Amino acid sequence: AARIGGDEFLIVFTGDNNYGRAAEIVASIKKEIAAYNKLGEAPYEIHASIGSYTDNIHTQSLDEFLSKADKLMYEKKAQHKGFTRKD
């Protein structure tokens, strides 16, 4: 896991059932954010737009992976608050 810029993070893993593992990680992050917000100790809520992409590393470059995950993240962000990305 690494911070790749601003508020963007990347998690890379290998092995079997990568789609399922990615879904579990996303669900876990969302669950923890919801738990934090439920405490209500901060004057704001935390939100996250998460794009996850899984595929075989041998078929694409890292830049292609990042581009696809980034695109999915912006799609999620648009669903949450009417945000549109300017390319």
Side-chain angles (χ1 to χ4, degrees):
R3 179 176 172 216
I4 59 171
D7 60 354
E8 295 182 354
F9 297 84
L10 172 68
I11 300 172
V12 178
F13 51 92
T14 62
D16 297 327
N17 191 23
N18 289 335
Y19 182 80
R21 290 172 60 203
E24 289 173 4
I25 290 169
V26 169
S28 176
I29 292 168
K30 288 181 177 183
K31 179 180 174 186
E32 293 300 321
I33 290 172
Y36 175 85
N37 287 335
K38 190 172 184 178
L39 290 174
E41 295 177 357
Y44 52 83
E45 287 190 343
I46 301 292
H47 296 274
S49 297
I50 303 172
S52 65
Y53 179 73
T54 58
D55 200 350
N56 187 328
I57 190 69
H58 300 293
T59 62
Q60 299 173 68
S61 70
L62 179 57
D63 286 338
E64 290 171 314
F65 264 84
L66 293 175
S67 177
K68 289 179 180 178
D70 198 46
K71 181 178 183 277
L72 291 168
M73 183 272 303
Y74 277 104
E75 289 173 3
K76 295 289 184 187
K77 188 176 280 193
Q79 291 172 1
H80 290 252
K81 57 183 172 182
F83 179 88
T84 56
R85 182 177 181 185
K86 296 179 182 177
D87 288 309

